[in-house]
Amino acid sequence: MQQRLVVFSPLFVMRSHLPEPLVVHIEKRSLGLKESQLIHGQGHQEPLLNTEAELTHHLIFQAREDKDASHCAVPISTSLIKQIVNKTGNEDNPEHILADFYGPKTTTESSWPYITKDTDRSALEPLSQWDSPMQVKLSRWKSGLNTLLVELLPWALMVNDSQWDLWLFEGETIVLQIPAGKVIVPPNFKEAFQIGIYWAHTNTVHKSKALKLVHDLTSPRWKEGTSSVVVTLDEEGYVEVDIALGAYPGKQKVCQFCVSSVVRHGVQILQIEDRTILVNNTPYSIHYRPLLTNHVLGGCEQVCEMPEGTVFTLPPSEDSSLAKPCSVPCWDLLQTSVQGKVEFPLPVRHMIFSLFLRPDAGVGTTAWSVPTPVRPDLPRQSLSIPVDQVSGGGLSSRAIVLTYQEHLGVTYMTLNEDPCPRMLIENKCPVSLLLKENVKETPRTEVYCHPLPANCSLHHELYYHIYSFPECRQREQLPTLQLKTMSDNSTTNWTDPIDINCPGTQVVFLPGFGCLYIHVSYERGTLVLSLAPEGSADAVINQHRRFSKLSVRILLSEASVALSDDITNPSGSMELLRLTLTKLLLSLVPAPISLPPELAEDSAMASSSFSVLMTDATLIEIYCYSLQVDNQLYNRTSFHFPILLCQDHRGATEPEGSWSSDVNPTESPEVLEEFKHSCFLQLKMTLTGDRHTVEEVSFQLQPARVYIEDTFVYYIKTLFDTYIPSRPGESKRGREPGAALILPAQVVDSVQALVHPVRLQKLTIQPVHLLVSIHASLKLYIASDHTPLSFSVFERGPLFTTARQLVHALAMHYAAGALFRAGWVVGSLEILGSPASLVRSIGNGVSDFFRLPYEGLTRGPGAFVSGVSRGTTSFVKHISKGTLTSITNLATSLARNMDRLSLDEEHYTRQEEWRRELPESLGDGLRQGLSRLGISLLGAVAGIVDQPMQNFQKNWEMQSSAGSKAKGVISGVGKGIVGVFTKPIGGAAELVSQTGYGILHGAGLWQLPKQLYLPAEEKSALASNSHLKYVWKMLQSLGRPELHMALEVTIVSGSGQEHAGCLLLTSEVLFVVSLCEDTQQQAFPITEVECQQEPEQQSQLTLTLQQQTVTSDTEADGVRERLSEQQYQRLVDYVIRASQFLSPSPASLQLQPPVTLAEAPPSVTKCYRYMVDPVFAKVFVSKFTIVKNKALRIGFH
């Protein structure tokens, strides 16, 4: 059955890239007709109306009705469509044609004017400018269609995304003005152009350096002999432009711009934007001053001087929307220079911040933060921004993170609340202090002294912290600090250096004040420095008290996690990987409160293990005796290894009685420590009191074996790629009215990594020893057998870095360890006979030959004789094992490579499948080796005839040409000849290999680890029904059904027959569904049925239904018979209890007849039995009771 797709499309489509609409005059000169049509600009596509086929049309463009039309006409006709289609090729795939119109939008192209960085303005407004060259481009509109696309392209577009109204100069002539947020078509430049800003204070237009566009296609030709002071701008690049405003020193300002250029659709897009963008992600309104200074604002012995300048305000971010970025309009220039001249290059950029409502209202320098340098080598800085003083309290601050990211010439600076401040300084003294940091190395920027007003609490970040981020250092020694009083007397001396590496309390003498108690502690990773006078020292020194805590230990005999594939195979689930943990101990205990004596003496160790001094710290420990990762695809496909990771054979046996159903290792501290020491995997984590911050991590892994196969890795990677749905490329969001600036994705990702760094006080990975086996099935089979790799300890701390930097440090550490063991890797190659494994086996044998007798000699003559016997046995065993393993590996590698070189895919696949059947003894090895040698010899002879016949048959079925058939026959002959030499050699090598494996297996010298569990197969047809199926299929009649529980049971009929069923518990009805028939069998009202679990037989569930019988028609009409048995009993009980509170009169007592209870209506009881899992039965009975009580309005519901 053939399908035909008929698409109606216009003959011509017009697309204008100009900023504003234009009028197109369509002339049909052969008919003497002329029509006009308005074409919208800014990249919109519109069909040309009233056009005819097989007729030449002439297009004339006109800007406005009051302007003259263009002098040249552009002829178009349907013959041009045919020429373009013949050149590009006709793609008549219906799927591609429909995808262009109805498929997802996969284009990543930005909207007009095609710049990737959007602005913070509501819309870019165009300006009229037509003194520029234009270009008309003819192309195919869409694939598979015969529609001609006519595009009108300007030579360039200029976008002003800055906050300033700019002037454009060409030489000394003002060309035009570009208001902020406008788009123009620039004129045809004859010379280099300049950008200017009108400054009202000087009544002058200040200009930038000249810019020259460098490209060959779209820009006009330049005059020869241009000025030397010219900045060149490539068509794909950016340049930085500075404009100095003002003429008086100290009153000058500098505007910094970034002029970028890109080419889109053959049009060069010139974008002018402010170079610095600020984003306030905090809920506070922040004031800031941008400064450009090259002189010191404050020396190392005095407070930083805050100069006068323009104050700008960043609005707070709202929770409902993203923060609105704001550009920095201008910078205050603090430079001593000649009047009217600005020296280049410009000085370093600085910023100061404040959270005061009115920072200039006579507060002074305490209202502003310390000047922050804006530099690319400082990606993250933690600022201490002062806030308004609380009534009766001292000065305080907020910790704000300032991040620096540069993208395409624009600097993006974001302000976020610091989730992990580095330091908090509490000055409880009645005098103001000055804090100085003693920098060990020559600082790369100015290190300012930090003022500490009286009774203040301020955040702080050391210069060492700023410049060491994000490095991962092995041991960090913080610099010393010094203090002095802030007084008018400049001769006040500094205190002695204060060491803040050791938590605790120390006393220093502060000149001009007296003794000062300094307490160093850590709270959630923040270094808290408390300064107090001698009289209030007790308030500073924290008395550590141990709060009562709960210790939890969980012991699991075995835990197994399987990764299954339910997507690629619709008929059932296929198990891929299985992780098995044996004898798992999870422990949650309070962290130790004191250091061991040997560690307490070392201040460096004390600083690196400071968390033990913290109260409320929690220690989480995970111990696993055995761990194994199985390849569950081993039995399905031709993979070489059944497992991926397991522990190496232990030298000592498992401690007896350390784990069983009767013996708990946690009951005895000695047994528990012995068990922990013998575990394969050990993980320790220390949490702070908030239970969210990880302070220390320690990981230890015993010697392990790793088996890697490249075909398995590729298979898993390909399989995982199918799990992730392919998402079409999201188009860039265009400018919408009121939309804010959209930050580049790279900047957003970097900011998140910088604001939330990896913070650990100590990270320790103990030495790792691995035996790695690798099989690489490339053009040549290369294998490495049990290569020993040893990696030294990885210890870092304190850590304050990004995740990427930490991963890089880990990769470099272990890559260096693998590089140092490169000799063992080469020596373990099977193609060389694994000489490294042979040397290692001989070394182990010689070691045992001397070690075991020596150990026996220390215990007595009998042990010595036993040691000599065991040492000799071990020596012979290792020598034999090493020699046989080397020969077997060499033969196996040779056989695999010969099978590959035979160019016979069928022969190679058959050999790989047979090779998986390892022999168990010498006889099995000889039998399998001889049979495969015979098959290889037979295949070598038969391949001369079989290979040409296979190629000929394949080409015949594909109905190839005679030349292809002849080529296939010749290729088959060549494969057959190659197989004559390779197959016998491979068969002989396989004989040696199988014989060697048989000897090793039979003697117990070699054994591959086996899977702990065979893969489980789950058929989709046997899967249980979901709740959604019952709700959609069977419970729609209830209106708004609420399914409380669906329990699969075995229905037992009255005759004893059993069949599968399901109980559906809803709010009103209990349904019984037959699974084999997939239909509803019974429905019981909740209020008339009882559900209980049989005490003697826990797996039996009994439903008891009570039905009333009607005795007469008269009673059937009464209210009593309309009540259920339970309702009737409740009514009788209520009447009896309520009658006790009545006080009748004597007259009513005389007339009242004796009260007798009526008999309950007769009822019929029926019982239904169901077999179910006892655990699920208890849950179902509980839920049934809750639902029934709610239906009867019993209890609180």
Side-chain angles (χ1 to χ4, degrees):
M1 179 179 177
Q2 294 184 351
Q3 292 182 345
R4 293 188 178 182
L5 177 64
V6 179
V7 180
F8 295 92
S9 63
L11 292 177
F12 307 100
V13 174
M14 181 71 190
R15 184 180 186 185
S16 172
H17 298 273
L18 298 177
E20 63 177 13
L22 76 156
V23 180
V24 177
H25 302 284
I26 306 174
E27 295 183 354
K28 304 175 184 177
R29 297 181 180 180
S30 59
L31 302 180
L33 301 177
K34 180 179 180 181
E35 298 181 1
S36 300
Q37 182 177 347
L38 181 66
I39 302 296
H40 297 281
Q42 303 185 8
H44 294 288
Q45 299 181 3
E46 299 181 31
L48 295 181
L49 306 178
N50 299 329
T51 55
E52 301 178 15
E54 305 298 336
L55 187 67
T56 302
H57 305 77
H58 292 78
L59 305 181
I60 300 177
F61 305 101
Q62 184 178 1
R64 293 192 189 91
E65 295 181 355
D66 56 345
K67 298 289 184 178
D68 296 335
S70 59
H71 299 290
C72 58
V74 179
I76 59 174
S77 63
T78 54
S79 60
L80 293 175
I81 300 176
K82 299 177 182 178
Q83 296 177 10
I84 295 176
V85 168
N86 293 334
K87 291 181 179 179
T88 59
N90 189 12
E91 300 178 5
D92 54 354
N93 190 346
E95 296 180 357
H96 293 170
I97 298 175
L98 295 176
D100 286 341
F101 294 96
Y102 305 106
K105 302 300 181 182
T106 59
T107 177
T108 58
E109 176 186 304
S110 302
S111 59
W112 188 90
Y114 318 119
I115 50 179
T116 57
K117 293 178 288 189
D118 297 325
T119 65
D120 56 350
R121 299 186 177 272
S122 59
L124 291 174
E125 302 176 6
L127 283 181
S128 300
Q129 178 64 32
W130 285 91
D131 187 15
S132 303
M134 304 291 172
Q135 180 183 5
V136 177
K137 178 182 177 183
L138 304 179
S139 61
R140 191 179 189 177
W141 184 40
K142 292 183 182 296
S143 62
L145 303 182
N146 294 332
T147 300
L148 184 66
L149 177 62
V150 182
E151 293 184 273
L152 183 60
L153 307 174
W155 79 274
L157 291 174
M158 182 170 286
V159 184
N160 182 11
D161 282 339
S162 67
Q163 302 290 327
W164 297 86
D165 296 335
L166 303 178
W167 294 84
L168 202 60
F169 289 81
E170 186 177 4
E172 297 296 331
T173 306
I174 297 180
V175 179
L176 77 162
Q177 184 185 16
I178 315 175
K182 303 293 183 179
V183 180
I184 67 166
V185 178
N188 188 1
F189 293 127
K190 299 294 190 297
E191 300 178 7
F193 66 94
Q194 294 174 287
I195 300 173
I197 295 178
Y198 173 74
W199 187 241
H201 296 278
T202 58
N203 195 21
T204 308
V205 177
H206 300 270
K207 296 186 295 184
S208 67
K209 292 184 178 180
L211 300 177
K212 175 182 177 181
L213 304 180
V214 180
H215 51 98
D216 301 328
L217 300 178
T218 56
S219 66
R221 295 182 177 274
W222 300 100
K223 293 183 178 180
E224 299 293 337
T226 56
S227 175
S228 59
V229 188
V230 173
V231 180
T232 59
L233 175 61
D234 297 333
E235 52 181 29
E236 293 286 347
Y238 62 89
V239 295
E240 298 176 351
V241 176
D242 299 318
I243 301 177
L245 307 177
Y248 300 98
K251 300 291 185 180
Q252 292 177 312
K253 299 182 183 298
V254 175
C255 298
Q256 297 185 333
F257 300 98
C258 175
V259 182
S260 59
S261 172
V262 294
V263 177
R264 299 289 183 268
H265 302 282
V267 181
Q268 185 172 12
I269 314 297
L270 301 174
Q271 183 182 12
I272 305 173
E273 52 190 333
D274 295 302
R275 198 191 305 174
T276 307
I277 304 294
L278 279 174
V279 184
N280 183 14
N281 291 326
T282 67
Y284 317 112
S285 179
I286 300 180
H287 307 280
Y288 71 96
R289 288 179 181 175
L291 307 174
L292 284 174
T293 176
N294 58 355
H295 64 274
V296 178
L297 295 177
C300 61
E301 303 287 337
Q302 58 187 357
V303 184
C304 174
E305 299 177 0
M306 297 300 172
E308 296 293 333
T310 308
V311 178
F312 300 98
T313 303
L314 292 174
S317 64
E318 300 178 358
D319 297 337
S320 58
S321 61
L322 298 176
K324 181 180 180 181
C326 302
S327 58
V328 178
C330 60
W331 300 74
D332 292 328
L333 181 62
L334 306 179
Q335 177 176 312
T336 305
S337 60
V338 183
Q339 181 176 357
K341 293 185 63 178
V342 178
E343 299 178 359
F344 291 94
L346 291 174
V348 182
R349 293 179 289 178
H350 289 78
M351 280 191 176
I352 56 177
F353 299 89
S354 176
L355 287 171
F356 277 65
L357 296 178
R358 298 178 61 189
D360 291 333
V363 182
T365 58
T366 57
W368 294 95
S369 65
V370 176
T372 304
V374 180
R375 299 175 48 148
D377 56 344
L378 302 179
R380 186 188 193 275
Q381 299 181 67
S382 182
L383 311 180
S384 176
I385 304 181
V387 297
D388 280 328
Q389 300 181 9
V390 185
S391 59
L395 184 67
S396 61
S397 67
R398 296 190 187 276
I400 304 296
V401 175
L402 176 66
T403 62
Y404 179 100
Q405 291 295 316
E406 189 169 335
H407 181 70
L408 298 179
V410 179
T411 300
Y412 296 91
M413 303 176 65
T414 61
L415 295 168
N416 298 269
E417 290 189 89
D418 194 351
C420 44
R422 305 298 291 269
M423 285 185 64
L424 177 62
I425 304 177
E426 298 176 350
N427 181 17
K428 299 183 180 181
C429 300
V431 297
S432 298
L433 303 178
L434 193 62
L435 178 69
K436 182 180 72 171
E437 176 184 355
N438 295 323
V439 183
K440 299 177 182 179
E441 302 176 355
T442 303
R444 289 176 283 178
T445 184
E446 183 65 25
V447 181
Y448 299 102
C449 292
H450 198 71
L452 303 175
N455 300 318
C456 70
S457 177
L458 302 177
H459 294 88
H460 183 58
E461 186 176 33
L462 299 175
Y463 168 84
Y464 181 83
H465 286 152
I466 298 175
Y467 272 90
S468 62
F469 182 85
E471 299 177 5
C472 296
R473 304 192 179 185
Q474 293 186 0
R475 180 174 296 179
E476 181 180 21
Q477 285 290 335
L478 299 179
T480 58
L481 304 179
Q482 287 183 291
L483 295 170
K484 79 171 183 178
T485 58
M486 293 178 59
S487 61
D488 297 335
N489 186 10
S490 59
T491 60
T492 305
N493 296 326
W494 293 93
T495 63
D496 294 334
I498 304 170
D499 186 10
I500 59 176
N501 291 283
C502 304
T505 305
Q506 48 187 312
V507 182
V508 298
F509 179 74
L510 181 63
F513 180 76
C515 292
L516 186 67
Y517 283 77
I518 300 176
H519 183 72
V520 181
S521 62
Y522 287 89
E523 295 181 4
R524 300 179 183 178
T526 301
L527 176 63
V528 181
L529 192 66
S530 299
L531 312 176
E534 185 176 1
S536 59
D538 295 337
V540 179
I541 303 175
N542 294 326
Q543 300 295 331
H544 296 286
R545 293 186 299 113
R546 200 64 180 183
F547 298 94
S548 59
K549 287 189 176 182
L550 179 64
S551 299
V552 179
R553 288 190 176 97
I554 302 176
L555 294 89
L556 299 177
S557 298
E558 188 174 271
S560 185
V561 180
L563 177 64
S564 300
D565 177 21
D566 300 334
I567 299 178
T568 56
N569 188 10
S571 62
S573 175
M574 181 176 61
E575 196 171 334
L576 303 178
L577 297 172
R578 179 179 287 271
L579 170 64
T580 304
L581 305 172
T582 306
K583 299 181 180 179
L584 186 65
L585 172 62
L586 306 178
S587 175
L588 177 66
V589 296
I593 192 171
S594 60
L595 282 173
E598 62 271 15
L599 297 182
E601 297 176 358
D602 189 358
S603 62
M605 291 300 296
S607 63
S608 61
S609 302
F610 79 96
S611 64
V612 297
L613 297 176
M614 296 175 8
T615 58
D616 277 354
T618 304
L619 179 62
I620 298 178
E621 296 177 307
I622 300 176
Y623 295 93
C624 179
Y625 184 79
S626 175
L627 181 146
Q628 183 167 319
V629 180
D630 295 335
N631 174 17
Q632 299 298 81
L633 297 175
Y634 177 75
N635 298 327
R636 295 175 178 267
T637 52
S638 59
F639 293 124
H640 300 168
F641 299 127
I643 68 170
L644 304 179
L645 173 66
C646 69
Q647 59 182 343
D648 196 9
H649 296 295
R650 302 172 182 267
T653 59
E654 179 181 354
E656 295 185 6
S658 63
W659 193 292
S660 66
S661 58
D662 301 328
V663 178
N664 187 351
T666 61
E667 295 179 352
S668 172
E670 294 79 9
V671 177
L672 180 60
E673 290 300 324
E674 184 180 0
F675 169 75
K676 290 181 178 180
H677 182 71
S678 62
C679 283
F680 170 67
L681 183 144
Q682 303 177 22
L683 177 62
K684 300 179 183 179
M685 293 186 297
T686 304
L687 303 181
T688 56
D690 60 353
R691 305 296 191 277
H692 296 92
T693 306
V694 180
E695 294 295 341
E696 295 186 6
V697 176
S698 176
F699 178 79
Q700 183 176 358
L701 187 70
Q702 298 292 341
R705 293 188 178 189
V706 180
Y707 298 89
I708 303 174
E709 186 179 355
D710 62 339
T711 54
F712 178 77
V713 174
Y714 296 149
Y715 178 81
I716 292 295
K717 180 181 179 300
T718 305
L719 199 62
F720 273 62
D721 291 340
T722 61
Y723 298 157
I724 304 175
S726 58
R727 295 185 301 174
E730 298 180 358
S731 59
K732 298 288 184 180
R733 292 173 289 178
R735 299 180 183 85
E736 300 176 357
L741 169 68
I742 301 174
L743 298 179
Q746 301 92 326
V747 174
V748 175
D749 296 341
S750 300
V751 167
Q752 292 299 322
L754 292 173
V755 174
H756 302 279
V758 178
R759 182 182 57 173
L760 289 173
Q761 292 300 325
K762 188 177 182 182
L763 173 63
T764 304
I765 301 178
Q766 298 297 334
V768 179
H769 303 281
L770 302 176
L771 287 178
V772 183
S773 298
I774 301 176
H775 286 186
S777 302
L778 304 174
K779 297 295 182 181
L780 189 67
Y781 173 76
I782 301 176
S784 177
D785 175 56
H786 292 90
T787 303
L789 294 180
S790 299
F791 304 98
S792 60
V793 61
F794 179 85
E795 186 174 1
R796 297 290 187 273
L799 270 180
F800 198 87
T801 182
T802 60
R804 181 176 181 179
Q805 188 71 18
L806 179 59
V807 171
H808 176 74
L810 284 168
M812 293 300 295
H813 174 79
Y814 289 105
L819 186 62
F820 291 150
R821 307 286 291 187
W824 285 99
V825 174
V826 176
S828 299
L829 294 178
E830 293 185 359
I831 195 68
L832 303 178
S834 303
S837 300
L838 176 61
V839 173
R840 189 169 64 253
S841 296
I842 295 175
N844 292 336
V846 173
S847 175
D848 290 347
F849 182 76
F850 291 100
R851 180 178 57 85
L852 295 177
Y854 176 77
E855 292 179 354
L857 183 61
T858 59
R859 295 196 298 268
F864 175 73
V865 174
S866 175
V868 172
S869 175
R870 290 188 294 117
T872 306
T873 304
S874 177
F875 176 74
V876 176
K877 178 181 177 181
H878 280 90
I879 295 296
S880 304
K881 178 184 176 181
T883 306
L884 286 175
T885 302
S886 179
I887 297 174
T888 303
N889 290 341
L890 176 60
T892 302
S893 180
L894 180 61
R896 290 181 186 271
N897 285 310
M898 288 297 106
D899 292 341
R900 287 173 174 272
L901 295 177
S902 66
L903 305 179
D904 190 346
E905 190 67 28
E906 182 180 354
H907 173 76
Y908 172 73
T909 305
R910 182 173 59 251
Q911 291 290 101
E912 285 294 329
E913 292 178 355
W914 287 348
R915 203 171 277 122
R916 294 163 55 85
E917 302 176 1
L918 296 177
E920 298 295 335
S921 61
L922 176 60
D924 290 343
L926 286 173
R927 179 179 54 82
Q928 293 183 14
L930 290 174
S931 63
R932 294 174 191 179
L933 175 60
I935 293 295
S936 299
L937 294 175
L938 182 60
V941 177
I944 300 178
V945 180
D946 181 60
Q947 290 293 331
M949 291 297 295
Q950 286 186 2
N951 288 356
F952 180 79
Q953 184 179 0
K954 186 186 300 183
N955 291 327
W956 181 271
E957 293 175 354
M958 296 177 59
Q959 297 181 357
S960 303
S961 61
S964 298
K965 294 178 183 178
K967 183 179 179 181
V969 171
I970 296 174
S971 175
V973 172
K975 291 182 179 180
I977 295 175
V978 172
V980 170
F981 297 98
T982 57
K983 290 180 182 179
I985 298 176
E990 190 68 20
L991 172 61
V992 178
S993 172
Q994 293 298 315
T995 305
Y997 281 130
I999 298 175
L1000 290 173
H1001 273 267
L1005 300 177
W1006 186 83
Q1007 187 72 33
L1008 262 182
K1010 297 182 179 179
Q1011 296 167 299
L1012 295 179
Y1013 295 96
L1014 294 177
E1017 297 184 6
E1018 298 180 2
K1019 299 296 182 182
S1020 300
L1022 301 179
S1024 59
N1025 295 326
S1026 65
H1027 291 194
L1028 191 61
K1029 174 184 176 180
Y1030 296 122
V1031 173
W1032 284 4
K1033 185 175 182 180
M1034 300 180 181
L1035 305 182
Q1036 288 297 327
S1037 60
L1038 299 180
R1040 298 179 62 183
E1042 182 180 2
L1043 183 60
H1044 295 279
M1045 186 174 180
L1047 178 64
E1048 292 189 0
V1049 298
T1050 301
I1051 303 175
V1052 182
S1053 62
S1055 59
Q1057 296 181 353
E1058 299 180 356
H1059 59 278
C1062 183
L1063 298 181
L1064 304 180
L1065 179 61
T1066 64
S1067 301
E1068 301 175 357
V1069 184
L1070 176 64
F1071 294 96
V1072 181
V1073 178
S1074 175
L1075 295 182
C1076 55
E1077 299 177 2
D1078 205 13
T1079 57
Q1080 173 186 326
Q1081 284 192 342
Q1082 292 172 309
F1084 304 110
I1086 290 293
T1087 57
E1088 298 183 6
V1089 70
E1090 291 285 345
C1091 179
Q1092 62 182 359
Q1093 189 178 12
E1094 294 297 332
E1096 295 81 7
Q1097 192 173 0
Q1098 297 290 330
S1099 61
Q1100 180 173 328
L1101 200 65
T1102 303
L1103 291 181
T1104 305
L1105 175 65
Q1106 295 180 350
Q1107 295 180 335
Q1108 298 178 3
T1109 58
V1110 180
T1111 57
S1112 64
D1113 297 339
T1114 304
E1115 292 182 359
D1117 296 336
V1119 180
R1120 177 178 169 181
E1121 275 65 40
R1122 290 200 297 268
L1123 297 176
S1124 66
E1125 175 68 20
Q1126 295 173 344
Q1127 291 173 337
Y1128 176 75
Q1129 292 293 341
R1130 292 184 61 197
L1131 179 60
V1132 172
D1133 183 66
Y1134 173 76
V1135 172
I1136 293 176
R1137 292 188 179 187
S1139 62
Q1140 300 175 2
F1141 303 98
L1142 298 177
S1143 57
S1145 62
S1148 62
L1149 290 175
Q1150 296 175 359
L1151 299 176
Q1152 182 179 5
V1155 178
T1156 58
L1157 294 176
E1159 296 181 357
S1163 60
V1164 179
T1165 302
K1166 292 184 178 181
C1167 294
Y1168 302 91
R1169 294 181 302 159
Y1170 307 96
M1171 305 303 295
V1172 67
D1173 190 340
V1175 179
F1176 293 151
K1178 293 181 180 179
V1179 178
F1180 184 81
V1181 171
S1182 302
K1183 283 208 169 190
F1184 178 85
T1185 304
I1186 295 173
V1187 173
K1188 184 177 180 180
N1189 291 339
K1190 185 177 181 181
L1192 295 175
R1193 300 181 182 276
I1194 299 176
F1196 298 95
H1197 297 286

